[in-house]
């Protein structure tokens, strides 16, 4: 289930033209299969690109506690006008730093993600 949700989130982020980061770039791990398949180390940007964001999604994560060294990039994005949305069934430390809280059941997030993608395609706001 975790891989399916992660895949759905990546598809959603790519559909809206967003950037998502990968911990491998942060810790300098190397996935040879990724390099051999796509010809590059990582198809994603590093955490320092977060401050270029216009929209930041915390999707079932508590970034304030789990990504402490990188959270300041999100704070800088908010300072520059980015909106932060926390999609989570619980109230956590990241909730207080979000502009919007979407209280979602843990098992319903794939349906929620698919609904977001459907609306984006119907309203022609995704390329």
């Amino acid at each position: 289930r975790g891989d399916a949700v992660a895949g759905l989130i990546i598809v959603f982020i790519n559909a809206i033209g967003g950037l998502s980061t990968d911990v491998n770039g942060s810790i300098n791990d190397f996935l040879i299969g990724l390099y051999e398949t796509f010809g590059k180390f990582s198809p994603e940007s590093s955490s320092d690109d977060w401050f270029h964001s216009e929209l930041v999604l915390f999707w079932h994560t508590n970034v304030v506690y789990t990504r402490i060294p990188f959270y300041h990039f999100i704070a800088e994005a908010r300072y520059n006008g980015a909106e932060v949305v926390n999609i989570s069934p619980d109230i956590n430390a990241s909730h207080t730093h979000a502009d919007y809280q979407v209280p979602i059941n843990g098992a319903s997030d794939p349906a929620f993600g698919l609904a977001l993608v459907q609306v984006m395609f119907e309203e022609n706001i995704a390329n």
Side-chain angles (χ1 to χ4, degrees):
R1 177 178 162 348
D3 290 336
V5 171
L8 177 63
I9 292 170
I10 290 171
V11 168
F12 172 72
I13 297 297
N14 289 337
I16 64 172
L19 298 172
S20 57
T21 60
D22 184 11
V23 73
N24 293 318
S26 302
I27 61 174
N28 200 22
D29 198 1
F30 183 70
L31 302 174
I32 191 65
L34 184 68
Y35 183 78
E36 290 176 347
T37 303
F38 297 107
K40 53 186 175 179
F41 170 70
S42 178
E44 300 176 357
S45 60
S46 60
S47 299
D48 60 342
D49 268 345
W50 288 355
F51 73 95
H52 294 296
S53 301
E54 296 175 13
L55 174 67
V56 177
L57 299 178
F58 298 156
W59 198 309
H60 285 296
T61 187
N62 187 358
V63 178
V64 173
Y65 282 177
T66 60
R67 301 297 297 256
I68 294 169
F70 307 113
Y71 177 73
H72 71 93
F73 294 122
I74 296 170
E76 291 174 34
R78 282 192 79 203
Y79 181 77
N80 291 328
E83 291 184 309
V84 177
V85 179
N86 187 24
I87 303 169
S88 179
D90 62 341
I91 303 298
N92 55 45
S94 296
H95 170 263
T96 60
H97 298 275
D99 298 308
Y100 302 100
Q101 168 70 19
V102 180
I104 190 167
N105 293 331
S108 64
D109 56 318
F112 177 70
L114 289 171
L116 291 174
V117 171
Q118 179 185 8
V119 168
M120 289 187 319
F121 285 131
E122 285 192 10
E123 294 184 7
N124 200 25
I125 56 175
N127 57 17

